[in-house]
Amino acid sequence: MTLLPSEFLKWNYYGRRKMLQKMLSNEHMDPYRFYIEFTRHNPVLCTACLTEKGSIEVNGKVVGIGYIPKKEHMKNLIKIFEEHIWKSDEEYFEHQDDEEYIRRLRRNHSKRGAKLLLKYIYLDEEDAADKIDFEKLATIELAARLPHSSKHTWRILQHSDTASLVFFQPPSISYELKGRISIHLDDDYHRLVNLVHDAYHYTPPENRGFRPVYIFHVEEVYDNSPTKKGFGRRIA
């Protein structure tokens, strides 16, 4: 595996940290600027496999991608994020028929969750190097539980673990990460990644269902930006 280079982390990881800080400071952010900033979170996951008929099936879909701590910190963070979710679950079960209350619950949950993300996941440079696993990224297969979903990515990853992540932030920032994906269904990676997702986006228990976790193991990183230093230059 390969460590994500500082050039990428400065834009992606530490850029997200700054956005969380702005959100929690109640600093006004132009909504259009917010959408641009949010592209750090939403790359295209590209997968492919050889089918039984001998053709190659290719798929790309926009996913939400996140960071995870090193293994020695995971169990403690699972407890912390579980407590956060349980607190909202208790309120949800008590007031689920009150739409206005549930709207407030979601707002409060998101704010409390953003504080946890800033405290435990999106750290300053000194702490991040010690606590965050910069050889990996994580996402959740949210579509696998939906009957109408094509499940293209899920099906392809049963046959091939090779994948790419393509990031694009208008007008000209683009990175491509190449690597391999491991699927996690019932371990600490699965528990923590789902908890971190739900830390900001409150999901009622009945809607959580079957949500496999994909861990993307970084092998190569390219700067694909249309600049003198980009156009496919390998940076890790």
Side-chain angles (χ1 to χ4, degrees):
M1 290 188 289
T2 299
L3 279 170
L4 289 166
S6 58
E7 176 183 329
F8 176 81
L9 291 175
K10 182 179 180 181
W11 168 72
N12 192 274
Y13 178 84
Y14 296 107
R16 295 196 205 186
R17 174 177 165 80
K18 288 180 181 177
M19 187 169 71
L20 278 170
Q21 289 172 323
K22 286 184 179 180
M23 290 168 59
L24 289 170
S25 68
N26 293 320
E27 179 180 338
H28 174 73
M29 185 182 295
D30 180 274
Y32 296 105
R33 185 64 206 173
F34 176 80
Y35 298 144
I36 293 294
E37 293 293 319
F38 206 76
T39 57
R40 292 180 174 90
H41 177 69
N42 293 119
V44 175
L45 172 61
C46 305
T47 52
C49 73
L50 185 66
T51 70
E52 294 178 355
K53 297 179 180 179
S55 60
I56 297 175
E57 181 177 3
V58 180
N59 190 64
K61 74 169 180 176
V62 177
V63 298
I65 206 82
Y67 291 84
I68 50 177
K70 293 179 179 178
K71 279 189 173 182
E72 59 266 31
H73 302 292
M74 291 181 69
K75 290 190 182 298
N76 182 52
L77 292 189
I78 287 172
K79 292 179 182 178
I80 290 169
F81 280 89
E82 278 180 340
E83 290 176 1
H84 166 57
I85 304 298
W86 288 340
K87 177 178 173 60
S88 294
D89 282 349
E90 288 177 353
E91 292 186 56
Y92 174 77
F93 285 126
E94 187 175 351
H95 301 280
Q96 58 185 306
D97 295 327
D98 185 337
E99 293 184 5
E100 180 57 35
Y101 190 98
I102 297 302
R103 280 194 288 270
R104 292 198 302 272
L105 182 156
R106 291 182 184 277
R107 288 196 298 270
N108 293 336
H109 178 89
S110 294
K111 187 172 184 178
R112 195 170 70 240
K115 290 179 180 179
L116 290 177
L117 292 174
L118 190 59
K119 184 175 182 179
Y120 295 109
I121 304 297
Y122 293 96
L123 313 174
D124 60 32
E125 290 193 39
E126 183 176 350
D127 287 336
D130 291 333
K131 296 179 179 179
I132 303 301
D133 188 347
F134 286 131
E135 293 181 333
K136 300 179 182 71
L137 290 165
T139 188
I140 303 175
E141 179 51 87
L142 295 173
R145 72 190 196 281
L146 302 175
H148 63 267
S149 169
S150 64
K151 301 177 181 60
H152 288 148
T153 300
W154 175 249
R155 186 173 65 249
I156 288 173
L157 287 175
Q158 309 309 305
H159 304 284
S160 173
D161 63 356
T162 303
S164 290
L165 290 169
V166 179
F167 292 83
F168 174 59
Q169 185 178 72
S172 59
I173 296 175
S174 182
Y175 291 96
E176 180 184 9
L177 281 54
K178 292 182 178 293
R180 296 189 178 276
I181 285 180
S182 57
I183 299 173
H184 299 260
L185 300 174
D186 186 22
D187 60 7
D188 284 346
Y189 283 116
H190 180 264
R191 283 185 281 277
L192 183 58
V193 174
N194 272 282
L195 288 167
V196 169
H197 172 272
D198 292 347
Y200 187 81
H201 308 282
Y202 180 70
T203 304
E206 65 269 21
N207 294 333
R208 291 169 196 165
F210 180 61
R211 299 193 299 183
V213 162
Y214 301 150
I215 300 298
F216 183 91
H217 303 264
V218 181
E219 294 181 342
E220 302 173 9
V221 182
Y222 295 84
D223 183 348
N224 285 356
S225 306
T227 64
K228 290 182 179 179
K229 293 183 178 181
F231 281 107
R233 177 176 62 96
R234 184 171 179 176
I235 58 175

